[in-house]
Amino acid sequence: MGYSFPAGSMIVGLLACLMIRLFITLDTPGPKRWLLDMIITGIAMLVTAVWIAEQQVDLFAALGTGGALGAIGTGIITFFKRRGQNAIDALDAALPGKPVIPADMTATLRELDKQG
């Protein structure tokens, strides 16, 4: 495309990002959300590629950049899962005619869901 970039650093950074994302995805307990993980992995790899091309980093810096951005993807997923659950809870509370579930029972069910 006519844009110069360090090919070796790009390969190292993208592979590091992909490996970290795969390691985290496969190591996470509970149901896998492959579509969400693929989207976050794609975003992390794009940001890695842009950063490496823009900053013209060397191999070691590319390795760190790819690994760090791959790991940050986990924080993004955790943030949106937590926000999504809060939105679902607020919607459930706002709907009329639903039985009220005690807060301690909801907390216990969430803890059990996290464990398995």
Side-chain angles (χ1 to χ4, degrees), residues 5-68:
F5 63 91
S9 295
M10 186 68 71
I11 292 168
V12 167
L14 291 176
L15 286 177
C17 182
L18 180 64
M19 286 186 279
I20 293 291
R21 289 295 311 137
L22 283 175
F23 176 76
I24 290 171
T25 299
L26 295 176
D27 195 43
T28 303
K32 304 291 186 241
R33 292 177 175 87
W34 292 107
L35 181 61
L36 178 63
D37 286 325
M38 286 190 301
I39 291 169
I40 297 298
T41 300
I43 291 170
M45 290 180 73
L46 284 173
V47 172
T48 299
V50 169
W51 180 264
I52 290 170
E54 182 69 27
Q55 300 298 318
Q56 300 286 318
V57 299
D58 60 1
L59 289 172
F60 191 71
L63 180 66
T65 301

Side-chain angles (χ1 to χ4, degrees), residues 61-79:
L63 180 66
T65 301
L69 289 171
I72 288 171
T74 302
I76 294 169
I77 289 174
T78 304
F79 173 78

Side-chain angles (χ1 to χ4, degrees), residues 22 48 58 61 67 82 91 100 105:
L22 283 175
T48 299
D58 60 1
R82 192 172 303 136
L91 183 62
V100 176
M105 184 181 291

